[in-house]
Amino acid sequence: MAPRALARPVITLDTSALYALLNRRDPAHVAAVQALSDDPGPYLVPAATLGEIAFLVEQRLGILVLDLLLADLESGAYALDCGEADLGRARQLVKRYEDLSLGYVDAAVIACAERSGGRVLTFDLRDFGVVAAEGTITILPGLSQ
């Protein structure tokens, strides 16, 4: 089944953004919360990030926080998207940015964001900053400083 097209540009959440939202002690927590407070949504979680974020949350924050994340996904607080339709573009990005060791998860976030309006909430500026400089995605204002 093809992913549904979203009507308006959304915020695509990278693993670093999801982790910051869930961890009140994270230095980026306030910025992440503010970014979503300033935008009515929807917020998009690429399916490729689920294993990565679930592992981090379970290991570092515990099963109760993982349950909260899963409950948010189940309730529709975040749209879960990006799969088969984005694989080709993700492959291109992995090859294009092999010198960065971009990796599949970040490439999938970028591919998903490109298709969904281009806005990315991330605190991983090393990789995403390079791609943003080339114009295919926009890191939300205030996060790139």
Side-chain angles (χ1 to χ4, degrees), residues 20-42:
L21 285 166
L22 294 167
N23 183 3
R24 291 184 179 153
R25 293 186 199 116
D26 190 292
H29 176 75
V30 172
V33 169
Q34 188 64 49
L36 296 192
S37 297
D38 291 344
D39 190 277

mmCIF file of all heavy atoms in Angstrom, residues 20-42:
data_model
loop_
_atom_site.group_PDB
_atom_site.id
_atom_site.type_symbol
_atom_site.label_atom_id
_atom_site.label_comp_id
_atom_site.label_asym_id
_atom_site.label_seq_id
_atom_site.Cartn_x
_atom_site.Cartn_y
_atom_site.Cartn_z
ATOM 1 N N ALA A 20 14.630 13.901 22.175
ATOM 2 C CA ALA A 20 14.599 15.150 22.934
ATOM 3 C C ALA A 20 13.193 15.438 23.468
ATOM 4 O O ALA A 20 13.035 15.931 24.588
ATOM 5 C CB ALA A 20 15.087 16.307 22.071
ATOM 6 N N LEU A 21 12.171 15.141 22.677
ATOM 7 C CA LEU A 21 10.798 15.349 23.136
ATOM 8 C C LEU A 21 10.468 14.472 24.338
ATOM 9 O O LEU A 21 9.758 14.898 25.251
ATOM 10 C CB LEU A 21 9.809 15.044 22.005
ATOM 11 C CG LEU A 21 9.714 16.083 20.909
ATOM 12 C CD1 LEU A 21 8.988 15.512 19.697
ATOM 13 C CD2 LEU A 21 9.034 17.341 21.412
ATOM 14 N N LEU A 22 11.001 13.266 24.356
ATOM 15 C CA LEU A 22 10.674 12.300 25.403
ATOM 16 C C LEU A 22 11.522 12.437 26.663
ATOM 17 O O LEU A 22 11.136 11.959 27.724
ATOM 18 C CB LEU A 22 10.837 10.875 24.856
ATOM 19 C CG LEU A 22 9.863 10.492 23.752
ATOM 20 C CD1 LEU A 22 10.319 9.211 23.073
ATOM 21 C CD2 LEU A 22 8.452 10.354 24.301
ATOM 22 N N ASN A 23 12.675 13.065 26.540
ATOM 23 C CA ASN A 23 13.622 13.152 27.649
ATOM 24 C C ASN A 23 13.705 14.581 28.170
ATOM 25 O O ASN A 23 14.386 15.420 27.584
ATOM 26 C CB ASN A 23 14.995 12.665 27.193
ATOM 27 C CG ASN A 23 16.014 12.660 28.294
ATOM 28 O OD1 ASN A 23 15.728 12.971 29.441
ATOM 29 N ND2 ASN A 23 17.243 12.304 27.949
ATOM 30 N N ARG A 24 13.066 14.849 29.276
ATOM 31 C CA ARG A 24 13.055 16.209 29.841
ATOM 32 C C ARG A 24 14.440 16.695 30.241
ATOM 33 O O ARG A 24 14.650 17.892 30.393
ATOM 34 C CB ARG A 24 12.117 16.266 31.038
ATOM 35 C CG ARG A 24 10.680 16.125 30.626
ATOM 36 C CD ARG A 24 9.758 16.280 31.794
ATOM 37 N NE ARG A 24 8.385 16.147 31.336
ATOM 38 C CZ ARG A 24 7.402 15.743 32.073
ATOM 39 N NH1 ARG A 24 7.602 15.446 33.338
ATOM 40 N NH2 ARG A 24 6.188 15.642 31.580
ATOM 41 N N ARG A 25 15.378 15.783 30.422
ATOM 42 C CA ARG A 25 16.752 16.170 30.801
ATOM 43 C C ARG A 25 17.632 16.452 29.585
ATOM 44 O O ARG A 25 18.748 16.930 29.728
ATOM 45 C CB ARG A 25 17.395 15.069 31.640
ATOM 46 C CG ARG A 25 16.733 14.918 32.986
ATOM 47 C CD ARG A 25 17.503 13.918 33.844
ATOM 48 N NE ARG A 25 16.646 13.464 34.913
ATOM 49 C CZ ARG A 25 16.233 12.218 35.077
ATOM 50 N NH1 ARG A 25 16.619 11.273 34.251
ATOM 51 N NH2 ARG A 25 15.439 11.899 36.070
ATOM 52 N N ASP A 26 17.132 16.144 28.400
ATOM 53 C CA ASP A 26 17.911 16.378 27.185
ATOM 54 C C ASP A 26 18.080 17.883 26.980
ATOM 55 O O ASP A 26 17.112 18.641 27.109
ATOM 56 C CB ASP A 26 17.191 15.759 25.983
ATOM 57 C CG ASP A 26 18.035 15.754 24.735
ATOM 58 O OD1 ASP A 26 18.315 16.843 24.193
ATOM 59 O OD2 ASP A 26 18.415 14.659 24.293
ATOM 60 N N PRO A 27 19.283 18.347 26.655
ATOM 61 C CA PRO A 27 19.493 19.791 26.438
ATOM 62 C C PRO A 27 18.610 20.383 25.335
ATOM 63 O O PRO A 27 18.337 21.579 25.343
ATOM 64 C CB PRO A 27 20.974 19.880 26.046
ATOM 65 C CG PRO A 27 21.593 18.612 26.496
ATOM 66 C CD PRO A 27 20.511 17.579 26.528
ATOM 67 N N ALA A 28 18.153 19.560 24.408
ATOM 68 C CA ALA A 28 17.315 20.044 23.308
ATOM 69 C C ALA A 28 15.821 19.899 23.594
ATOM 70 O O ALA A 28 14.995 20.252 22.744
ATOM 71 C CB ALA A 28 17.668 19.297 22.027
ATOM 72 N N HIS A 29 15.452 19.436 24.780
ATOM 73 C CA HIS A 29 14.039 19.183 25.085
ATOM 74 C C HIS A 29 13.175 20.429 24.896
ATOM 75 O O HIS A 29 12.151 20.372 24.216
ATOM 76 C CB HIS A 29 13.887 18.643 26.510
ATOM 77 C CG HIS A 29 12.467 18.445 26.921
ATOM 78 N ND1 HIS A 29 11.701 17.382 26.462
ATOM 79 C CD2 HIS A 29 11.655 19.186 27.726
ATOM 80 C CE1 HIS A 29 10.485 17.473 26.980
ATOM 81 N NE2 HIS A 29 10.430 18.560 27.743
ATOM 82 N N VAL A 30 13.572 21.535 25.467
ATOM 83 C CA VAL A 30 12.755 22.756 25.391
ATOM 84 C C VAL A 30 12.609 23.209 23.942
ATOM 85 O O VAL A 30 11.513 23.570 23.504
ATOM 86 C CB VAL A 30 13.341 23.870 26.282
ATOM 87 C CG1 VAL A 30 12.621 25.189 26.062
ATOM 88 C CG2 VAL A 30 13.265 23.471 27.754
ATOM 89 N N ALA A 31 13.692 23.165 23.177
ATOM 90 C CA ALA A 31 13.627 23.569 21.765
ATOM 91 C C ALA A 31 12.706 22.651 20.970
ATOM 92 O O ALA A 31 11.947 23.113 20.111
ATOM 93 C CB ALA A 31 15.023 23.585 21.153
ATOM 94 N N ALA A 32 12.753 21.356 21.253
ATOM 95 C CA ALA A 32 11.890 20.402 20.548
ATOM 96 C C ALA A 32 10.426 20.650 20.871
ATOM 97 O O ALA A 32 9.573 20.683 19.974
ATOM 98 C CB ALA A 32 12.279 18.973 20.904
ATOM 99 N N VAL A 33 10.134 20.826 22.141
ATOM 100 C CA VAL A 33 8.748 21.092 22.559
ATOM 101 C C VAL A 33 8.264 22.397 21.934
ATOM 102 O O VAL A 33 7.143 22.477 21.421
ATOM 103 C CB VAL A 33 8.636 21.111 24.095
ATOM 104 C CG1 VAL A 33 7.281 21.642 24.540
ATOM 105 C CG2 VAL A 33 8.895 19.719 24.667
ATOM 106 N N GLN A 34 9.104 23.418 21.944
ATOM 107 C CA GLN A 34 8.722 24.721 21.378
ATOM 108 C C GLN A 34 8.462 24.611 19.879
ATOM 109 O O GLN A 34 7.506 25.193 19.365
ATOM 110 C CB GLN A 34 9.809 25.759 21.641
ATOM 111 C CG GLN A 34 9.397 27.159 21.249
ATOM 112 C CD GLN A 34 8.229 27.677 22.064
ATOM 113 O OE1 GLN A 34 8.234 27.599 23.285
ATOM 114 N NE2 GLN A 34 7.214 28.202 21.397
ATOM 115 N N ALA A 35 9.292 23.861 19.167
ATOM 116 C CA ALA A 35 9.109 23.707 17.721
ATOM 117 C C ALA A 35 7.745 23.105 17.398
ATOM 118 O O ALA A 35 7.066 23.542 16.469
ATOM 119 C CB ALA A 35 10.222 22.844 17.138
ATOM 120 N N LEU A 36 7.321 22.120 18.179
ATOM 121 C CA LEU A 36 6.013 21.516 17.923
ATOM 122 C C LEU A 36 4.883 22.394 18.435
ATOM 123 O O LEU A 36 3.805 22.414 17.843
ATOM 124 C CB LEU A 36 5.932 20.119 18.530
ATOM 125 C CG LEU A 36 6.895 19.082 17.951
ATOM 126 C CD1 LEU A 36 6.519 17.687 18.422
ATOM 127 C CD2 LEU A 36 6.960 19.132 16.441
ATOM 128 N N SER A 37 5.132 23.143 19.503
ATOM 129 C CA SER A 37 4.108 24.061 20.021
ATOM 130 C C SER A 37 3.813 25.176 19.028
ATOM 131 O O SER A 37 2.698 25.684 18.972
ATOM 132 C CB SER A 37 4.563 24.684 21.342
ATOM 133 O OG SER A 37 4.716 23.703 22.318
ATOM 134 N N ASP A 38 4.823 25.548 18.254
ATOM 135 C CA ASP A 38 4.680 26.634 17.287
ATOM 136 C C ASP A 38 4.042 26.193 15.972
ATOM 137 O O ASP A 38 3.804 27.015 15.097
ATOM 138 C CB ASP A 38 6.052 27.261 16.972
ATOM 139 C CG ASP A 38 6.623 28.031 18.135
ATOM 140 O OD1 ASP A 38 5.874 28.351 19.081
ATOM 141 O OD2 ASP A 38 7.839 28.311 18.111
ATOM 142 N N ASP A 39 3.777 24.919 15.811
ATOM 143 C CA ASP A 39 3.259 24.382 14.561
ATOM 144 C C ASP A 39 2.074 23.461 14.865
ATOM 145 O O ASP A 39 2.189 22.588 15.726
ATOM 146 C CB ASP A 39 4.353 23.593 13.844
ATOM 147 C CG ASP A 39 3.952 23.205 12.441
ATOM 148 O OD1 ASP A 39 3.254 22.197 12.281
ATOM 149 O OD2 ASP A 39 4.338 23.919 11.504
ATOM 150 N N PRO A 40 0.962 23.634 14.154
ATOM 151 C CA PRO A 40 -0.215 22.825 14.459
ATOM 152 C C PRO A 40 -0.124 21.363 14.016
ATOM 153 O O PRO A 40 -1.016 20.571 14.317
ATOM 154 C CB PRO A 40 -1.335 23.539 13.709
ATOM 155 C CG PRO A 40 -0.648 24.197 12.562
ATOM 156 C CD PRO A 40 0.700 24.595 13.091
ATOM 157 N N GLY A 41 0.942 21.005 13.298
ATOM 158 C CA GLY A 41 1.068 19.623 12.834
ATOM 159 C C GLY A 41 0.422 19.463 11.484
ATOM 160 O O GLY A 41 -0.009 20.431 10.874
ATOM 161 N N PRO A 42 0.339 18.276 10.995
ATOM 162 C CA PRO A 42 0.706 17.025 11.640
ATOM 163 C C PRO A 42 2.215 16.838 11.712
ATOM 164 O O PRO A 42 2.979 17.537 11.049
ATOM 165 C CB PRO A 42 0.069 15.953 10.753
ATOM 166 C CG PRO A 42 -0.027 16.596 9.414
ATOM 167 C CD PRO A 42 -0.208 18.064 9.657
#
